Amino acid sequence: MQWLKLLIYFISILILNTNAEFERDPNGYIAYCPCMGRFGNQADHFLGSLAFAQALNRTLILPPWVEYRKGEMRSRQVPFDTYFEVEPLQEFHRVILMSDFMEHLADEVWPANERIAFCYMERKSLQQEKNNPDEPNCHAKDGNPFGPFWDTYSIDFVGSEFYGPLHFDVRHSSIATKWQENYKADKWPVLAFTGAPASFPVQLENRELQRYLVWSPKYREAAREFIRTVLPRGAFIGLHLRNGIDWVRACEHIKDSQQLFASPQCLGYKNERGELYQELCMPTKESIIRQLKRTIKNVRQSQPKNEVKSVFVASDSNHMIAELTNALSRMDISVHKLPEDDPYLDLAILGQSNHFIGNCISSYSAFVKRERDTHGFPSYFWSFPKEKERQQSKPHEEL
Ligand code: GFB
C-alpha cells in the first residue's frame, strides 16, 4: 500500500504545480486577433501589443499566428510557440499562451457570458441584416480571419465595447493610465481586441523588443542544419527578394506615398534619410546583381579571412537562382534556396547569415533586420541609399 500512497502524493504535487503555473493575474489580461496582414505585419503588431500590455500592466495572451494557405477559405491559426519560445518573453513582461489561458483560466477569469469584444468604434457587418442602428456592435467574428480566429478557442462575444478615443501610443503619452482608469481589472478582466492594440509599422521604440522573440528549438535547429549541411563552409550572404505579383501592385503606391509598410526602417520615421523611390520597392535584376557583387567585394576587402562562399536566397516568388549563379560563377560562390517553400525557415536562416540584403519596404525583411540588429549582425537594403547618391558619396568611401 505504501506505493499507492506515494503515487497519490506525487499526483497531488503534480496537480498543485500545474495549478500554480496558471495562477490568475489580478491585473487582468489583453487578448487580440492578429487580424491584419501576414507574418511581417503580425510581427510588427506583436511587438507593439507587448509594449501595450506592459504599459497597462496586464498579462498578454499570446495569440496564434494567423496563416493563409492557397485554396483555403478560412485562415489557419498556428500556436505562437510553434515558431517562438515563450520563456524569453517573460523576461520582459508576463505572457501566457492563448491555449493555456483558455484551458486553465478562462472559465474562472472570463466566463462565456462575460466576453466583450473591444473595438475603437462600431464595425459594420458585411451582412446588412446584422447591423442594428440601435445596437452598434464590433462584429468581432465577422469575416476571415476574424471568425476562424476566435472560433479556434470557441470564443463568442456577448457584447461590444467602443474604446475610442483611447489609443495605443503608450510610448508618447500617459494613455496607459487612462486605460487603467476606464477599464479596471476587476470589472474588465480581459480586454479582447478585434485587431492588435498596436500600430503598423512597429514604433521605433518597440523595435528593440525583438530580442525577446527567440526562435523555437525546431526552427533554430532546422536553420543550423541547413547552414551546416547544404551551404559550403565559409561566410554566406542572405538575400530577401520580394517580387511576387502582390508586391508589384503594392509598389505602385510608391508614387503617392511618403512611407510604405516598413520603409521607415531605412528612410527614418520622419523621412530624415530620404523620400520613397521605385527601386527601393522593386530593384531591377541588374541592380540586384551589381549590389550583390559590390557587397561581396567589400566583404573580401574588409574581412579577408572570412570569405563569402555562398549566397542564400529567400523569396516569395522569383529567387533568380539561374541569374545569380551565372553572375557569381567566376567568383566561386554558389547560390542556394530551400528545397520547399517555408517562410519561417527562410527567416530563421536569413537571421543567421553573415551579411543580409533585404527589401526596405517589406515588413518580412524588417523582421530579419530587427533580429540581426539585436545580435549586431550587418544588414543592408536593396537600392539604398539611392544609386545616384551612393555614387556621389563614393569618393568619400574610398578615402
Ligand atoms: O510578411 P508580410 O506581411 O511582408 O507578407 P511584406 C508577405 C508574405 O509573403 C510573408 C511571403 O508573410 C510570406 O508568407 N513571403 C515574403 C515569403 N517573402 C518571402 C520569402 O522570402 N520567403 C517565403 N517563403 N515567403 C506586404 C504586407 O508584405 O505585402 C502588406 O506588409 C501587403 O500588408 C503587401 O499585403 C502586398 O511587408 O513584405
Side-chain angles (χ1 to χ4, degrees), residues 39-40 42-44 46-47 65 83-84 207 210 213-215 262 265 344 347-348 351 356 362-374:
F39 178 75
Q42 292 176 37
D44 268 43
F46 174 74
L47 299 184
W65 302 96
Y83 304 126
F84 302 102
R207 291 174 55 93
Q210 178 84 30
L213 263 185
V214 176
W215 286 103
Q265 66 175 328
Y344 301 93
L347 284 173
F356 168 64
S362 165
S363 61
Y364 184 90
S365 271
F367 185 92
V368 180
K369 166 78 165 87
R370 287 194 304 266
E371 178 179 307
R372 299 174 61 81
D373 284 354
T374 67

PDB file of all heavy atoms in Angstrom, residues 39-40 42-44 46-47 65 83-84 207 210 213-215 262 265 344 347-348 351 356 362-374:
ATOM      1  N   PHE A  39       2.702  37.413 -41.969  1.00  0.00           N
ATOM      2  CA  PHE A  39       3.601  37.320 -40.821  1.00  0.00           C
ATOM      3  C   PHE A  39       4.306  38.638 -40.461  1.00  0.00           C
ATOM      4  O   PHE A  39       4.363  39.018 -39.282  1.00  0.00           O
ATOM      5  CB  PHE A  39       4.651  36.221 -41.015  1.00  0.00           C
ATOM      6  CG  PHE A  39       5.589  36.172 -39.859  1.00  0.00           C
ATOM      7  CD1 PHE A  39       5.175  35.626 -38.649  1.00  0.00           C
ATOM      8  CD2 PHE A  39       6.849  36.732 -39.935  1.00  0.00           C
ATOM      9  CE1 PHE A  39       6.009  35.630 -37.546  1.00  0.00           C
ATOM     10  CE2 PHE A  39       7.694  36.732 -38.836  1.00  0.00           C
ATOM     11  CZ  PHE A  39       7.276  36.178 -37.643  1.00  0.00           C
ATOM     12  N   GLY A  40       4.876  39.311 -41.457  1.00  0.00           N
ATOM     13  CA  GLY A  40       5.639  40.529 -41.163  1.00  0.00           C
ATOM     14  C   GLY A  40       4.790  41.564 -40.451  1.00  0.00           C
ATOM     15  O   GLY A  40       5.225  42.178 -39.461  1.00  0.00           O
ATOM     16  N   GLN A  42       2.045  40.964 -38.751  1.00  0.00           N
ATOM     17  CA  GLN A  42       1.663  40.434 -37.430  1.00  0.00           C
ATOM     18  C   GLN A  42       2.805  40.567 -36.424  1.00  0.00           C
ATOM     19  O   GLN A  42       2.577  40.824 -35.241  1.00  0.00           O
ATOM     20  CB  GLN A  42       1.230  38.981 -37.548  1.00  0.00           C
ATOM     21  CG  GLN A  42      -0.075  38.804 -38.313  1.00  0.00           C
ATOM     22  CD  GLN A  42      -0.435  37.332 -38.505  1.00  0.00           C
ATOM     23  OE1 GLN A  42      -0.206  36.506 -37.628  1.00  0.00           O
ATOM     24  NE2 GLN A  42      -0.987  37.003 -39.657  1.00  0.00           N
ATOM     25  N   ALA A  43       4.029  40.399 -36.903  1.00  0.00           N
ATOM     26  CA  ALA A  43       5.186  40.500 -36.003  1.00  0.00           C
ATOM     27  C   ALA A  43       5.363  41.956 -35.544  1.00  0.00           C
ATOM     28  O   ALA A  43       5.630  42.220 -34.366  1.00  0.00           O
ATOM     29  CB  ALA A  43       6.446  40.001 -36.699  1.00  0.00           C
ATOM     30  N   ASP A  44       5.202  42.904 -36.459  1.00  0.00           N
ATOM     31  CA  ASP A  44       5.248  44.322 -36.084  1.00  0.00           C
ATOM     32  C   ASP A  44       4.204  44.597 -35.007  1.00  0.00           C
ATOM     33  O   ASP A  44       4.475  45.222 -33.979  1.00  0.00           O
ATOM     34  CB  ASP A  44       4.920  45.209 -37.301  1.00  0.00           C
ATOM     35  CG  ASP A  44       6.169  45.633 -38.070  1.00  0.00           C
ATOM     36  OD1 ASP A  44       7.036  44.777 -38.267  1.00  0.00           O
ATOM     37  OD2 ASP A  44       6.255  46.822 -38.474  1.00  0.00           O
ATOM     38  N   PHE A  46       2.797  42.510 -33.051  1.00  0.00           N
ATOM     39  CA  PHE A  46       3.055  41.787 -31.808  1.00  0.00           C
ATOM     40  C   PHE A  46       3.934  42.627 -30.872  1.00  0.00           C
ATOM     41  O   PHE A  46       3.668  42.722 -29.668  1.00  0.00           O
ATOM     42  CB  PHE A  46       3.714  40.424 -32.069  1.00  0.00           C
ATOM     43  CG  PHE A  46       4.105  39.760 -30.797  1.00  0.00           C
ATOM     44  CD1 PHE A  46       3.138  39.198 -29.963  1.00  0.00           C
ATOM     45  CD2 PHE A  46       5.427  39.754 -30.371  1.00  0.00           C
ATOM     46  CE1 PHE A  46       3.482  38.638 -28.746  1.00  0.00           C
ATOM     47  CE2 PHE A  46       5.781  39.196 -29.157  1.00  0.00           C
ATOM     48  CZ  PHE A  46       4.809  38.633 -28.342  1.00  0.00           C
ATOM     49  N   LEU A  47       4.988  43.219 -31.427  1.00  0.00           N
ATOM     50  CA  LEU A  47       5.906  43.990 -30.574  1.00  0.00           C
ATOM     51  C   LEU A  47       5.175  45.166 -29.924  1.00  0.00           C
ATOM     52  O   LEU A  47       5.364  45.462 -28.740  1.00  0.00           O
ATOM     53  CB  LEU A  47       7.109  44.498 -31.388  1.00  0.00           C
ATOM     54  CG  LEU A  47       7.986  43.411 -32.017  1.00  0.00           C
ATOM     55  CD1 LEU A  47       9.188  44.036 -32.704  1.00  0.00           C
ATOM     56  CD2 LEU A  47       8.458  42.397 -30.983  1.00  0.00           C
ATOM     57  N   TRP A  65      -0.427  32.585 -34.567  1.00  0.00           N
ATOM     58  CA  TRP A  65      -0.152  33.317 -35.809  1.00  0.00           C
ATOM     59  C   TRP A  65      -1.236  32.942 -36.806  1.00  0.00           C
ATOM     60  O   TRP A  65      -1.626  31.773 -36.883  1.00  0.00           O
ATOM     61  CB  TRP A  65       1.242  32.958 -36.352  1.00  0.00           C
ATOM     62  CG  TRP A  65       2.304  33.263 -35.350  1.00  0.00           C
ATOM     63  CD1 TRP A  65       2.858  32.382 -34.467  1.00  0.00           C
ATOM     64  CD2 TRP A  65       2.900  34.533 -35.078  1.00  0.00           C
ATOM     65  NE1 TRP A  65       3.777  33.024 -33.662  1.00  0.00           N
ATOM     66  CE2 TRP A  65       3.826  34.350 -34.018  1.00  0.00           C
ATOM     67  CE3 TRP A  65       2.758  35.809 -35.615  1.00  0.00           C
ATOM     68  CZ2 TRP A  65       4.584  35.392 -33.495  1.00  0.00           C
ATOM     69  CZ3 TRP A  65       3.518  36.850 -35.099  1.00  0.00           C
ATOM     70  CH2 TRP A  65       4.417  36.637 -34.046  1.00  0.00           C
ATOM     71  N   TYR A  83       6.666  28.756 -33.480  1.00  0.00           N
ATOM     72  CA  TYR A  83       7.802  29.494 -34.055  1.00  0.00           C
ATOM     73  C   TYR A  83       8.710  30.152 -33.007  1.00  0.00           C
ATOM     74  O   TYR A  83       9.897  30.291 -33.238  1.00  0.00           O
ATOM     75  CB  TYR A  83       7.296  30.567 -35.019  1.00  0.00           C
ATOM     76  CG  TYR A  83       6.417  30.008 -36.126  1.00  0.00           C
ATOM     77  CD1 TYR A  83       5.145  30.511 -36.370  1.00  0.00           C
ATOM     78  CD2 TYR A  83       6.850  28.932 -36.900  1.00  0.00           C
ATOM     79  CE1 TYR A  83       4.334  29.980 -37.365  1.00  0.00           C
ATOM     80  CE2 TYR A  83       6.052  28.387 -37.891  1.00  0.00           C
ATOM     81  CZ  TYR A  83       4.787  28.916 -38.121  1.00  0.00           C
ATOM     82  OH  TYR A  83       3.998  28.368 -39.096  1.00  0.00           O
ATOM     83  N   PHE A  84       8.103  30.585 -31.891  1.00  0.00           N
ATOM     84  CA  PHE A  84       8.907  31.332 -30.916  1.00  0.00           C
ATOM     85  C   PHE A  84       8.717  30.805 -29.503  1.00  0.00           C
ATOM     86  O   PHE A  84       7.644  30.328 -29.143  1.00  0.00           O
ATOM     87  CB  PHE A  84       8.549  32.821 -30.971  1.00  0.00           C
ATOM     88  CG  PHE A  84       8.761  33.401 -32.335  1.00  0.00           C
ATOM     89  CD1 PHE A  84       7.686  33.615 -33.180  1.00  0.00           C
ATOM     90  CD2 PHE A  84      10.041  33.652 -32.801  1.00  0.00           C
ATOM     91  CE1 PHE A  84       7.882  34.099 -34.468  1.00  0.00           C
ATOM     92  CE2 PHE A  84      10.244  34.133 -34.085  1.00  0.00           C
ATOM     93  CZ  PHE A  84       9.166  34.361 -34.927  1.00  0.00           C
ATOM     94  N   ARG A 207      10.997  48.509 -31.506  1.00  0.00           N
ATOM     95  CA  ARG A 207      11.797  47.620 -32.359  1.00  0.00           C
ATOM     96  C   ARG A 207      12.699  46.708 -31.528  1.00  0.00           C
ATOM     97  O   ARG A 207      12.887  45.550 -31.838  1.00  0.00           O
ATOM     98  CB  ARG A 207      12.648  48.442 -33.331  1.00  0.00           C
ATOM     99  CG  ARG A 207      11.855  49.167 -34.405  1.00  0.00           C
ATOM    100  CD  ARG A 207      12.784  50.061 -35.213  1.00  0.00           C
ATOM    101  NE  ARG A 207      13.889  49.302 -35.750  1.00  0.00           N
ATOM    102  CZ  ARG A 207      13.906  48.743 -36.943  1.00  0.00           C
ATOM    103  NH1 ARG A 207      12.886  48.896 -37.739  1.00  0.00           N
ATOM    104  NH2 ARG A 207      14.947  48.054 -37.341  1.00  0.00           N
ATOM    105  N   GLN A 210      12.239  43.060 -30.130  1.00  0.00           N
ATOM    106  CA  GLN A 210      12.511  41.895 -30.966  1.00  0.00           C
ATOM    107  C   GLN A 210      13.423  40.896 -30.260  1.00  0.00           C
ATOM    108  O   GLN A 210      13.345  39.688 -30.480  1.00  0.00           O
ATOM    109  CB  GLN A 210      13.180  42.364 -32.265  1.00  0.00           C
ATOM    110  CG  GLN A 210      13.557  41.264 -33.215  1.00  0.00           C
ATOM    111  CD  GLN A 210      12.414  40.832 -34.102  1.00  0.00           C
ATOM    112  OE1 GLN A 210      11.556  41.638 -34.425  1.00  0.00           O
ATOM    113  NE2 GLN A 210      12.422  39.589 -34.509  1.00  0.00           N
ATOM    114  N   LEU A 213      11.983  37.863 -28.855  1.00  0.00           N
ATOM    115  CA  LEU A 213      11.379  36.872 -29.773  1.00  0.00           C
ATOM    116  C   LEU A 213      12.481  35.909 -30.213  1.00  0.00           C
ATOM    117  O   LEU A 213      13.257  36.210 -31.119  1.00  0.00           O
ATOM    118  CB  LEU A 213      10.819  37.584 -31.009  1.00  0.00           C
ATOM    119  CG  LEU A 213       9.333  37.921 -31.039  1.00  0.00           C
ATOM    120  CD1 LEU A 213       8.948  38.496 -32.384  1.00  0.00           C
ATOM    121  CD2 LEU A 213       8.457  36.711 -30.712  1.00  0.00           C
ATOM    122  N   VAL A 214      12.514  34.774 -29.580  1.00  0.00           N
ATOM    123  CA  VAL A 214      13.589  33.804 -29.852  1.00  0.00           C
ATOM    124  C   VAL A 214      12.985  32.615 -30.589  1.00  0.00           C
ATOM    125  O   VAL A 214      11.974  32.048 -30.144  1.00  0.00           O
ATOM    126  CB  VAL A 214      14.242  33.353 -28.518  1.00  0.00           C
ATOM    127  CG1 VAL A 214      15.291  32.279 -28.767  1.00  0.00           C
ATOM    128  CG2 VAL A 214      14.846  34.546 -27.799  1.00  0.00           C
ATOM    129  N   TRP A 215      13.596  32.230 -31.692  1.00  0.00           N
ATOM    130  CA  TRP A 215      13.083  31.095 -32.485  1.00  0.00           C
ATOM    131  C   TRP A 215      12.959  29.843 -31.629  1.00  0.00           C
ATOM    132  O   TRP A 215      13.812  29.580 -30.777  1.00  0.00           O
ATOM    133  CB  TRP A 215      14.017  30.812 -33.670  1.00  0.00           C
ATOM    134  CG  TRP A 215      13.891  31.827 -34.755  1.00  0.00           C
ATOM    135  CD1 TRP A 215      14.753  32.852 -35.026  1.00  0.00           C
ATOM    136  CD2 TRP A 215      12.818  31.934 -35.717  1.00  0.00           C
ATOM    137  NE1 TRP A 215      14.280  33.592 -36.086  1.00  0.00           N
ATOM    138  CE2 TRP A 215      13.107  33.052 -36.534  1.00  0.00           C
ATOM    139  CE3 TRP A 215      11.653  31.202 -35.960  1.00  0.00           C
ATOM    140  CZ2 TRP A 215      12.256  33.446 -37.575  1.00  0.00           C
ATOM    141  CZ3 TRP A 215      10.810  31.594 -36.989  1.00  0.00           C
ATOM    142  CH2 TRP A 215      11.116  32.704 -37.786  1.00  0.00           C
ATOM    143  N   ALA A 262       7.111  48.990 -44.255  1.00  0.00           N
ATOM    144  CA  ALA A 262       8.228  49.077 -43.303  1.00  0.00           C
ATOM    145  C   ALA A 262       9.266  50.133 -43.687  1.00  0.00           C
ATOM    146  O   ALA A 262      10.344  50.190 -43.084  1.00  0.00           O
ATOM    147  CB  ALA A 262       8.908  47.716 -43.191  1.00  0.00           C
ATOM    148  N   GLN A 265      12.193  51.928 -41.730  1.00  0.00           N
ATOM    149  CA  GLN A 265      13.421  51.266 -41.268  1.00  0.00           C
ATOM    150  C   GLN A 265      14.663  51.743 -42.009  1.00  0.00           C
ATOM    151  O   GLN A 265      15.767  51.687 -41.478  1.00  0.00           O
ATOM    152  CB  GLN A 265      13.312  49.750 -41.318  1.00  0.00           C
ATOM    153  CG  GLN A 265      13.193  49.179 -42.714  1.00  0.00           C
ATOM    154  CD  GLN A 265      13.219  47.654 -42.716  1.00  0.00           C
ATOM    155  OE1 GLN A 265      13.869  47.024 -41.889  1.00  0.00           O
ATOM    156  NE2 GLN A 265      12.516  47.044 -43.653  1.00  0.00           N
ATOM    157  N   TYR A 344       9.075  30.636 -42.641  1.00  0.00           N
ATOM    158  CA  TYR A 344       9.668  30.781 -41.309  1.00  0.00           C
ATOM    159  C   TYR A 344      11.118  30.315 -41.295  1.00  0.00           C
ATOM    160  O   TYR A 344      11.986  30.952 -40.710  1.00  0.00           O
ATOM    161  CB  TYR A 344       8.821  30.036 -40.267  1.00  0.00           C
ATOM    162  CG  TYR A 344       7.423  30.601 -40.266  1.00  0.00           C
ATOM    163  CD1 TYR A 344       6.416  30.029 -41.052  1.00  0.00           C
ATOM    164  CD2 TYR A 344       7.127  31.741 -39.552  1.00  0.00           C
ATOM    165  CE1 TYR A 344       5.142  30.583 -41.096  1.00  0.00           C
ATOM    166  CE2 TYR A 344       5.859  32.305 -39.592  1.00  0.00           C
ATOM    167  CZ  TYR A 344       4.877  31.717 -40.378  1.00  0.00           C
ATOM    168  OH  TYR A 344       3.626  32.279 -40.441  1.00  0.00           O
ATOM    169  N   LEU A 347      13.229  32.894 -42.864  1.00  0.00           N
ATOM    170  CA  LEU A 347      13.536  33.990 -41.922  1.00  0.00           C
ATOM    171  C   LEU A 347      14.642  33.592 -40.954  1.00  0.00           C
ATOM    172  O   LEU A 347      15.578  34.364 -40.704  1.00  0.00           O
ATOM    173  CB  LEU A 347      12.294  34.347 -41.103  1.00  0.00           C
ATOM    174  CG  LEU A 347      11.200  35.163 -41.776  1.00  0.00           C
ATOM    175  CD1 LEU A 347       9.985  35.259 -40.855  1.00  0.00           C
ATOM    176  CD2 LEU A 347      11.692  36.559 -42.138  1.00  0.00           C
ATOM    177  N   ALA A 348      14.513  32.373 -40.420  1.00  0.00           N
ATOM    178  CA  ALA A 348      15.492  31.932 -39.413  1.00  0.00           C
ATOM    179  C   ALA A 348      16.892  31.841 -40.020  1.00  0.00           C
ATOM    180  O   ALA A 348      17.886  32.180 -39.365  1.00  0.00           O
ATOM    181  CB  ALA A 348      15.067  30.588 -38.829  1.00  0.00           C
ATOM    182  N   GLY A 351      18.321  35.324 -40.682  1.00  0.00           N
ATOM    183  CA  GLY A 351      18.775  35.917 -39.428  1.00  0.00           C
ATOM    184  C   GLY A 351      20.192  35.504 -39.066  1.00  0.00           C
ATOM    185  O   GLY A 351      20.903  36.225 -38.364  1.00  0.00           O
ATOM    186  N   PHE A 356      23.337  40.508 -44.761  1.00  0.00           N
ATOM    187  CA  PHE A 356      21.949  40.370 -45.228  1.00  0.00           C
ATOM    188  C   PHE A 356      21.566  41.574 -46.077  1.00  0.00           C
ATOM    189  O   PHE A 356      21.854  42.716 -45.700  1.00  0.00           O
ATOM    190  CB  PHE A 356      21.009  40.262 -44.019  1.00  0.00           C
ATOM    191  CG  PHE A 356      19.544  40.410 -44.368  1.00  0.00           C
ATOM    192  CD1 PHE A 356      18.907  39.481 -45.187  1.00  0.00           C
ATOM    193  CD2 PHE A 356      18.801  41.480 -43.877  1.00  0.00           C
ATOM    194  CE1 PHE A 356      17.559  39.620 -45.510  1.00  0.00           C
ATOM    195  CE2 PHE A 356      17.453  41.628 -44.195  1.00  0.00           C
ATOM    196  CZ  PHE A 356      16.835  40.693 -45.016  1.00  0.00           C
ATOM    197  N   SER A 362       9.518  45.995 -47.170  1.00  0.00           N
ATOM    198  CA  SER A 362       8.852  44.763 -46.724  1.00  0.00           C
ATOM    199  C   SER A 362       8.963  44.570 -45.206  1.00  0.00           C
ATOM    200  O   SER A 362      10.067  44.604 -44.643  1.00  0.00           O
ATOM    201  CB  SER A 362       9.483  43.570 -47.443  1.00  0.00           C
ATOM    202  OG  SER A 362       9.113  42.385 -46.793  1.00  0.00           O
ATOM    203  N   SER A 363       7.845  44.288 -44.573  1.00  0.00           N
ATOM    204  CA  SER A 363       7.877  44.026 -43.131  1.00  0.00           C
ATOM    205  C   SER A 363       8.464  42.634 -42.857  1.00  0.00           C
ATOM    206  O   SER A 363       8.876  42.344 -41.733  1.00  0.00           O
ATOM    207  CB  SER A 363       6.479  44.162 -42.525  1.00  0.00           C
ATOM    208  OG  SER A 363       5.594  43.239 -43.105  1.00  0.00           O
ATOM    209  N   TYR A 364       8.480  41.795 -43.887  1.00  0.00           N
ATOM    210  CA  TYR A 364       9.120  40.484 -43.763  1.00  0.00           C
ATOM    211  C   TYR A 364      10.643  40.684 -43.631  1.00  0.00           C
ATOM    212  O   TYR A 364      11.285  40.123 -42.746  1.00  0.00           O
ATOM    213  CB  TYR A 364       8.755  39.666 -44.996  1.00  0.00           C
ATOM    214  CG  TYR A 364       9.237  38.237 -45.027  1.00  0.00           C
ATOM    215  CD1 TYR A 364       8.464  37.209 -44.515  1.00  0.00           C
ATOM    216  CD2 TYR A 364      10.450  37.914 -45.628  1.00  0.00           C
ATOM    217  CE1 TYR A 364       8.890  35.890 -44.590  1.00  0.00           C
ATOM    218  CE2 TYR A 364      10.883  36.602 -45.704  1.00  0.00           C
ATOM    219  CZ  TYR A 364      10.107  35.588 -45.177  1.00  0.00           C
ATOM    220  OH  TYR A 364      10.537  34.287 -45.262  1.00  0.00           O
ATOM    221  N   SER A 365      11.189  41.536 -44.497  1.00  0.00           N
ATOM    222  CA  SER A 365      12.610  41.896 -44.373  1.00  0.00           C
ATOM    223  C   SER A 365      12.882  42.579 -43.038  1.00  0.00           C
ATOM    224  O   SER A 365      13.934  42.383 -42.427  1.00  0.00           O
ATOM    225  CB  SER A 365      13.023  42.873 -45.486  1.00  0.00           C
ATOM    226  OG  SER A 365      13.473  42.216 -46.635  1.00  0.00           O
ATOM    227  N   ALA A 366      11.921  43.391 -42.602  1.00  0.00           N
ATOM    228  CA  ALA A 366      12.115  44.166 -41.368  1.00  0.00           C
ATOM    229  C   ALA A 366      12.298  43.243 -40.167  1.00  0.00           C
ATOM    230  O   ALA A 366      13.047  43.562 -39.240  1.00  0.00           O
ATOM    231  CB  ALA A 366      10.925  45.091 -41.135  1.00  0.00           C
ATOM    232  N   PHE A 367      11.619  42.109 -40.201  1.00  0.00           N
ATOM    233  CA  PHE A 367      11.758  41.149 -39.112  1.00  0.00           C
ATOM    234  C   PHE A 367      13.214  40.688 -39.013  1.00  0.00           C
ATOM    235  O   PHE A 367      13.809  40.639 -37.939  1.00  0.00           O
ATOM    236  CB  PHE A 367      10.834  39.948 -39.352  1.00  0.00           C
ATOM    237  CG  PHE A 367      10.846  38.970 -38.215  1.00  0.00           C
ATOM    238  CD1 PHE A 367       9.933  39.067 -37.194  1.00  0.00           C
ATOM    239  CD2 PHE A 367      11.813  37.964 -38.162  1.00  0.00           C
ATOM    240  CE1 PHE A 367       9.966  38.182 -36.121  1.00  0.00           C
ATOM    241  CE2 PHE A 367      11.856  37.081 -37.096  1.00  0.00           C
ATOM    242  CZ  PHE A 367      10.925  37.185 -36.073  1.00  0.00           C
ATOM    243  N   VAL A 368      13.773  40.369 -40.177  1.00  0.00           N
ATOM    244  CA  VAL A 368      15.167  39.889 -40.220  1.00  0.00           C
ATOM    245  C   VAL A 368      16.114  40.994 -39.743  1.00  0.00           C
ATOM    246  O   VAL A 368      17.020  40.752 -38.941  1.00  0.00           O
ATOM    247  CB  VAL A 368      15.545  39.477 -41.660  1.00  0.00           C
ATOM    248  CG1 VAL A 368      16.982  38.977 -41.719  1.00  0.00           C
ATOM    249  CG2 VAL A 368      14.584  38.415 -42.188  1.00  0.00           C
ATOM    250  N   LYS A 369      15.882  42.194 -40.224  1.00  0.00           N
ATOM    251  CA  LYS A 369      16.763  43.325 -39.869  1.00  0.00           C
ATOM    252  C   LYS A 369      16.765  43.549 -38.348  1.00  0.00           C
ATOM    253  O   LYS A 369      17.821  43.703 -37.730  1.00  0.00           O
ATOM    254  CB  LYS A 369      16.270  44.576 -40.622  1.00  0.00           C
ATOM    255  CG  LYS A 369      16.825  45.896 -40.145  1.00  0.00           C
ATOM    256  CD  LYS A 369      18.245  46.113 -40.653  1.00  0.00           C
ATOM    257  CE  LYS A 369      18.717  47.539 -40.530  1.00  0.00           C
ATOM    258  NZ  LYS A 369      19.329  47.885 -39.246  1.00  0.00           N
ATOM    259  N   ARG A 370      15.568  43.534 -37.754  1.00  0.00           N
ATOM    260  CA  ARG A 370      15.491  43.763 -36.304  1.00  0.00           C
ATOM    261  C   ARG A 370      16.199  42.651 -35.541  1.00  0.00           C
ATOM    262  O   ARG A 370      16.955  42.907 -34.605  1.00  0.00           O
ATOM    263  CB  ARG A 370      14.019  43.807 -35.845  1.00  0.00           C
ATOM    264  CG  ARG A 370      13.268  45.048 -36.221  1.00  0.00           C
ATOM    265  CD  ARG A 370      11.960  45.134 -35.430  1.00  0.00           C
ATOM    266  NE  ARG A 370      11.120  43.962 -35.609  1.00  0.00           N
ATOM    267  CZ  ARG A 370      10.147  43.851 -36.509  1.00  0.00           C
ATOM    268  NH1 ARG A 370       9.890  44.854 -37.313  1.00  0.00           N
ATOM    269  NH2 ARG A 370       9.432  42.749 -36.590  1.00  0.00           N
ATOM    270  N   GLU A 371      15.971  41.404 -35.986  1.00  0.00           N
ATOM    271  CA  GLU A 371      16.617  40.288 -35.283  1.00  0.00           C
ATOM    272  C   GLU A 371      18.137  40.417 -35.364  1.00  0.00           C
ATOM    273  O   GLU A 371      18.843  40.228 -34.394  1.00  0.00           O
ATOM    274  CB  GLU A 371      16.164  38.952 -35.886  1.00  0.00           C
ATOM    275  CG  GLU A 371      16.842  37.769 -35.212  1.00  0.00           C
ATOM    276  CD  GLU A 371      16.394  36.429 -35.772  1.00  0.00           C
ATOM    277  OE1 GLU A 371      15.190  36.175 -35.831  1.00  0.00           O
ATOM    278  OE2 GLU A 371      17.271  35.635 -36.151  1.00  0.00           O
ATOM    279  N   ARG A 372      18.611  40.767 -36.547  1.00  0.00           N
ATOM    280  CA  ARG A 372      20.061  40.893 -36.734  1.00  0.00           C
ATOM    281  C   ARG A 372      20.619  42.052 -35.917  1.00  0.00           C
ATOM    282  O   ARG A 372      21.717  41.959 -35.374  1.00  0.00           O
ATOM    283  CB  ARG A 372      20.385  41.038 -38.213  1.00  0.00           C
ATOM    284  CG  ARG A 372      19.951  39.839 -39.045  1.00  0.00           C
ATOM    285  CD  ARG A 372      20.163  40.078 -40.518  1.00  0.00           C
ATOM    286  NE  ARG A 372      21.569  40.312 -40.831  1.00  0.00           N
ATOM    287  CZ  ARG A 372      22.474  39.345 -40.973  1.00  0.00           C
ATOM    288  NH1 ARG A 372      22.098  38.090 -40.879  1.00  0.00           N
ATOM    289  NH2 ARG A 372      23.734  39.642 -41.236  1.00  0.00           N
ATOM    290  N   ASP A 373      19.859  43.124 -35.839  1.00  0.00           N
ATOM    291  CA  ASP A 373      20.304  44.270 -35.028  1.00  0.00           C
ATOM    292  C   ASP A 373      20.526  43.855 -33.577  1.00  0.00           C
ATOM    293  O   ASP A 373      21.472  44.309 -32.933  1.00  0.00           O
ATOM    294  CB  ASP A 373      19.268  45.400 -35.080  1.00  0.00           C
ATOM    295  CG  ASP A 373      19.316  46.176 -36.402  1.00  0.00           C
ATOM    296  OD1 ASP A 373      20.234  45.906 -37.213  1.00  0.00           O
ATOM    297  OD2 ASP A 373      18.447  47.048 -36.620  1.00  0.00           O
ATOM    298  N   THR A 374      19.646  42.977 -33.079  1.00  0.00           N
ATOM    299  CA  THR A 374      19.808  42.594 -31.674  1.00  0.00           C
ATOM    300  C   THR A 374      21.112  41.809 -31.461  1.00  0.00           C
ATOM    301  O   THR A 374      21.634  41.746 -30.364  1.00  0.00           O
ATOM    302  CB  THR A 374      18.618  41.733 -31.157  1.00  0.00           C
ATOM    303  OG1 THR A 374      18.653  40.479 -31.845  1.00  0.00           O
ATOM    304  CG2 THR A 374      17.290  42.395 -31.376  1.00  0.00           C
TER     305      THR A 374
END
